[in-house]
Amino acid sequence: MSQNETLHLFLSCASGVEPWLEQEVRAILPKTHTEALRGGVAVKSNAEGVMKLNLESRLAQRVLIELIDGPYRHEDDLYTLARKIDWTQWITPAHTIRVDIVAQRSPLQSLNFTTLRIKDAICDVMREATGERPSVDTRHPDLPIIMHVGPEYATIYVDSSGEPLFKRGWREDKGDAPLKETLAAAMLAAAGWKGTPETGGALLDPCCGSGTIAVEAAQIACGMAAGMQRRFAFERQLPFVPLRGRFQAIKQAAKDREHAPAVPIFCSDVAFRMVDFARRNAERAGVAQYIQFNGGDALERPAPELPEGMPGTVMLNPPYGERIEVRGKAGVQSMSRDAGGSEARDGGDDFFPRLAAHWKRAYTQNPAGWTAWLLCPDMKLPSKMRLKESRKIPMWNGPIECRMFKFELVAGSARKEKSAPDPEASGI
């Protein structure tokens, strides 16, 4: 692989995030050919593009480099396909590998056996070329390899990211069911919030947990690269070794563009322990000085005071899912989802109606207005809150299908909608 060779890349993402990931890729690599597909975005770029995408993307899960594809009927065909790749261009026998199989409607009987056959193919190529074979490391391999097998065709990728890109390197303190950093970034992207007075204004998360939304927002407002505090698998792969100096220059350029935010960011939680977690995570992320942390109940805290003429955005991922406690004014209660996916609450079913009532009292006084975005799996949430949503966007929180509901917290007529891609409207 040469430095300027055109590479076929696939950036994977959570379902529903594809249109915003495509926008993000175009911002990172202007004039680059992209195509939004199910589960990610296809990109044509080069080795430098691989490095920039890993460093900058907030929405992608991984940056995969396509090596080869072809038809197959059984495991021997996949072994032959993997042997066509010159693996000596990627690793030496001193490097480690890991193979993962992703199957969709595949006729293969055993994915474990298929994984072993692909490992055999790689090791056979290396042994024939060098007399030695690489070792397997299932935790931190130098060369993670992903094979996608469909009904008739298979594709082999090198994973240039290593650990998933949601692992930014700053979140060590976590609560129950923490929100992934990539999902927090997707919520901000879907809301059109970009950290300026004109794109959402101030930001508040009143159920901040370990602070993921606030930290992601602060880094966006400061122009920080998402992956600045972590390492990537490509840094250990042979095609990128000559580009180490270039990667350091890319990182330095990203560091040089950082700036103080133009909008205030607030986060609070009823659990003071979680506020402490959020503060420590923000310190590791380098943005603690730009976030105002508070304890207190989301049903009682007044709206923050904002600079004159500045709108505000409330964004929250309230408790739901596997036995998450909701405390504070709604009382100690718990929520769970039954086997059929429906939501059940042990008392305190008035949390959301009371939250809406609090918003009407406390958040309609700002002349520039507040807008609330709430991620929830309950499709009937607006009627329970007695509010009319102005938008609802499909989004997945892991295996849980959710909607992002938008509510205008403005006395009188609603403000004009800001333009942003709407997956539901486009049929995604």
Side-chain angles (χ1 to χ4, degrees):
M1 187 183 89
S2 64
Q3 180 175 346
N4 295 316
E5 179 182 342
T6 299
L7 303 175
H8 293 263
L9 312 178
F10 184 76
L11 278 67
S12 59
C13 68
S15 179
V17 178
E18 297 91 345
W20 296 289
L21 176 56
E22 185 174 27
Q23 282 189 359
E24 180 187 63
V25 170
R26 290 175 176 173
I28 296 170
L29 301 177
K31 301 180 181 179
T32 299
H33 177 78
T34 63
E35 181 182 4
L37 304 171
R38 182 178 180 181
V41 174
V43 185
K44 289 183 180 179
S45 188
N46 54 21
E48 184 168 317
V50 171
M51 298 188 292
K52 287 183 176 179
L53 290 168
N54 273 289
L55 181 67
E56 300 281 2
S57 179
R58 292 191 173 276
L59 303 178
Q61 299 281 18
R62 300 179 185 277
V63 180
L64 305 178
I65 304 171
E66 181 180 329
L67 299 187
I68 195 171
D69 66 352
Y72 78 99
R73 296 185 64 182
H74 43 70
E75 291 85 352
D76 289 343
D77 297 329
L78 299 177
Y79 173 88
T80 301
L81 188 68
R83 277 192 61 100
K84 293 180 179 179
I85 299 168
D86 183 0
W87 295 103
T88 63
Q89 292 188 4
W90 288 91
I91 53 172
T92 71
H95 287 82
T96 56
I97 64 171
R98 169 177 169 162
V99 177
D100 289 287
I101 307 292
V102 178
Q104 289 184 328
R105 294 178 288 125
S106 170
L108 298 173
Q109 297 299 310
S110 171
L111 295 184
N112 287 335
F113 179 68
T114 303
T115 300
L116 291 175
R117 290 295 283 156
I118 302 307
K119 290 177 184 175
D120 288 343
I122 298 168
C123 291
D124 289 346
V125 169
M126 294 297 296
R127 186 185 293 111
E128 290 172 7
T130 68
E132 300 178 75
R133 54 164 289 171
S135 300
V136 171
D137 183 344
T138 58
R139 296 192 63 189
H140 302 291
D142 300 311
L143 190 70
I145 299 149
I146 296 177
M147 171 176 274
H148 179 272
V149 288
E152 298 177 349
Y153 281 83
T155 307
I156 299 177
Y157 301 92
V158 161
D159 177 6
S160 68
S161 304
E163 288 195 306
L165 293 179
F166 73 82
K167 296 185 177 182
R168 312 283 203 224
W170 51 259
R171 191 171 70 177
E172 296 180 11
D173 294 286
K174 305 175 184 178
D176 295 323
L179 187 72
K180 282 185 179 179
E181 293 87 332
T182 44
L183 180 55
M187 292 172 65
L188 293 162
W193 193 92
K194 298 180 181 179
T196 69
E198 299 76 29
T199 57
L203 185 116
L204 165 66
D205 181 357
C207 298
C208 70
S210 57
T212 308
I213 291 175
V215 172
E216 285 291 312
Q219 288 199 336
I220 291 170
C222 293
M224 293 182 174
M228 188 66 78
Q229 293 177 288
R230 57 160 286 167
R231 303 298 297 270
F232 305 96
F234 73 77
E235 296 179 72
R236 305 187 300 275
Q237 295 164 2
L238 294 184
F240 295 92
V241 170
L243 302 177
R244 286 175 178 169
R246 179 58 189 150
F247 184 48
Q248 290 305 312
I250 291 171
K251 290 176 69 176
Q252 187 59 52
K255 186 70 177 175
D256 292 343
R257 73 161 190 253
E258 294 178 6
H259 55 82
V263 297
I265 296 168
F266 310 87
C267 71
S268 59
D269 199 277
V270 68
F272 284 87
R273 172 174 168 265
M274 298 311 299
V275 176
D276 187 47
F277 281 4
R279 183 180 288 108
R280 295 207 296 258
N281 286 331
E283 288 171 353
R284 281 186 289 269
V287 293
Q289 67 271 37
Y290 303 126
I291 302 174
Q292 297 185 40
F293 301 90
N294 293 288
D297 192 345
L299 302 180
E300 291 185 332
R301 284 200 62 83
E305 292 189 10
L306 304 183
E308 184 176 356
M310 180 176 290
T313 297
V314 181
M315 184 164 294
L316 68 156
N317 173 48
Y320 56 82
E322 300 295 330
R323 308 299 298 177
I324 303 294
E325 289 187 350
V326 180
R327 293 159 292 184
K329 197 69 176 178
V332 177
Q333 54 197 280
S334 63
M335 297 183 184
S336 62
R337 293 176 65 80
D338 62 24
S342 63
E343 189 178 71
R345 294 193 185 87
D346 302 327
D349 198 31
D350 63 345
F351 174 78
F352 290 113
R354 294 176 72 176
L355 180 64
H358 176 62
W359 283 350
K360 291 175 183 177
R361 289 192 303 269
Y363 286 81
T364 57
Q365 309 307 313
N366 179 19
W370 282 88
T371 301
W373 292 85
L374 196 154
L375 182 71
C376 187
D378 188 347
M379 307 302 169
K380 297 180 179 179
L381 182 68
S383 62
K384 291 180 179 180
M385 297 182 74
R386 302 181 183 91
L387 291 176
K388 174 60 179 176
E389 79 277 12
S390 56
R391 282 183 71 192
K392 57 180 180 179
I393 300 173
M395 199 162 285
W396 288 79
N397 186 355
I400 304 174
E401 183 180 4
C402 299
R403 291 292 184 274
M404 264 189 72
F405 295 101
K406 179 183 181 181
F407 303 103
E408 302 286 356
L409 309 182
V410 183
S413 60
R415 291 184 294 142
K416 185 179 179 180
E417 287 280 312
K418 296 193 186 315
S419 60
D422 188 342
E424 188 144 284
S426 61
I428 293 177

